[in-house]
Amino acid sequence: MIEIRGVSKSYNSKIKAVDGIDLKVNPGEIVGFLGPNGAGKTTTIKMITGILDPDQGTILVNGHDIVRDPILAKQSFGFVPDDPNIFPRLKAIEYLRFMGDIYQVDPAVRSERVSKLAARLGLTEALGDRIQSFSHGMRQKLIIIGALIHQPAVWILDEPMTGLDPKAAFELKVMMREHADAGKTVFFSTHVLDVAEKICDRVAIIDHGHIRALGTLTELRSHFAADATLESIFLDLVEDQQS
């Protein structure tokens, strides 16, 4: 579970990147986090994961305060960032062993999970190669495996489809659904609205640091046309705020 209560973040005294938002992501659901560039998506995710501290408000990850109990909070989630720059001199398998050690995963269990996840994402043959030789998409796959190696209660992803080939992107969507169906939490940002429409249980739309809409597609349609797509709802909300 993720709970965000009254959270704000400013990068200077005049502009709030995130302005007093409230958001709850429950176990067993996938919530998509949508917004235009500069809306506050990545800032919010960086605060949830402890990369940035909020100026005010509280963030709980699986019941742990990310500011007051950062270790316990971070042990409970897996994070896939939007930029897969990771230890280029390491071999892929060395990186995954490192991630397993950080999360105190038994070596035998770690090995089994790595084998299964690498096979699903088509990375098995490259595990012995150095990360510096990997394409963007291969690095993305590697980070996804590393984020799941401890089977976290919460999975947080920032633009996870970027750079993935169609087969891997499909597999990732299946994995996200499986994660939620197992009673765990999935929270991800994306610009790909048709993906969000297909796999999300709920979506949150943020613009200029404010949550403009939150709910299922059916709930959002109650404020728009009955047959409105997520894309049309998103564009209406964003254009209204920018006009």
Side-chain angles (χ1 to χ4, degrees):
M1 179 184 294
I2 300 171
E3 295 182 72
I4 301 172
R5 305 171 184 166
V7 167
S8 296
K9 180 67 179 181
S10 299
Y11 290 111
N12 58 54
S13 59
K14 296 181 179 180
I15 301 175
K16 284 189 175 182
V18 175
D19 191 1
I21 67 170
D22 296 291
L23 180 62
K24 186 175 181 180
V25 186
N26 298 305
E29 69 173 354
I30 301 174
V31 172
F33 198 38
L34 316 178
N37 292 334
K41 299 190 304 299
T42 295
T43 295
T44 300
I45 287 176
K46 285 183 176 179
M47 288 190 289
I48 295 171
T49 54
I51 297 170
L52 294 174
D53 287 338
D55 295 336
Q56 63 184 50
T58 302
I59 299 173
L60 302 179
V61 183
N62 207 32
H64 305 294
D65 189 307
I66 190 62
V67 175
R68 296 181 179 179
D69 300 304
I71 300 300
L72 289 175
K74 291 177 182 180
Q75 286 175 340
S76 68
F77 69 76
F79 176 44
V80 178
D82 62 341
D83 188 4
N85 287 325
I86 47 168
F87 308 109
R89 295 183 182 274
L90 289 182
K91 294 179 180 179
I93 191 63
E94 292 173 337
Y95 168 74
L96 294 174
R97 287 170 182 162
F98 170 67
M99 293 297 291
D101 289 342
I102 285 177
Y103 290 110
Q104 300 178 335
V105 180
D106 180 86
V109 174
R110 177 188 66 202
S111 179
E112 181 181 359
R113 290 176 184 170
V114 167
S115 295
K116 289 181 178 179
L117 291 167
R120 292 188 71 171
L121 293 173
L123 206 63
T124 302
E125 299 301 320
L127 290 178
D129 298 339
R130 295 195 185 277
I131 299 171
Q132 62 190 4
S133 70
F134 280 19
S135 66
H136 184 284
M138 292 172 70
R139 295 184 187 203
Q140 192 78 345
K141 294 176 185 179
L142 184 62
I143 288 180
I144 290 167
I145 296 170
L148 292 177
I149 203 165
H150 60 302
Q151 296 187 338
V154 177
W155 195 10
I156 304 166
L157 309 95
D158 193 2
E159 298 290 350
M161 306 296 175
T162 304
L164 292 182
D165 57 76
K167 183 177 180 181
F170 174 81
E171 192 64 35
L172 176 60
K173 289 181 282 187
V174 173
M175 292 164 70
M176 292 167 70
R177 185 72 266 166
E178 290 174 350
H179 203 75
D181 287 347
K184 299 178 181 181
T185 300
V186 179
F187 182 65
F188 79 108
S189 73
T190 184
H191 286 299
V192 187
L193 298 182
D194 60 337
V195 168
E197 184 167 354
K198 289 176 182 177
I199 72 170
C200 290
D201 299 300
R202 292 188 297 146
V203 297
I205 299 175
I206 187 171
D207 191 27
H208 290 88
H210 295 275
I211 301 291
R212 304 298 183 186
L214 172 64
T216 65
L217 185 57
T218 299
E219 290 169 344
L220 296 183
R221 281 174 174 159
S222 67
H223 301 285
F224 295 87
D227 61 348
T229 63
L230 180 57
E231 181 180 46
S232 65
I233 293 171
F234 175 85
L235 292 174
D236 282 347
L237 286 169
V238 171
E239 287 173 1
D240 285 346
Q241 296 301 324
Q242 293 181 343
S243 60

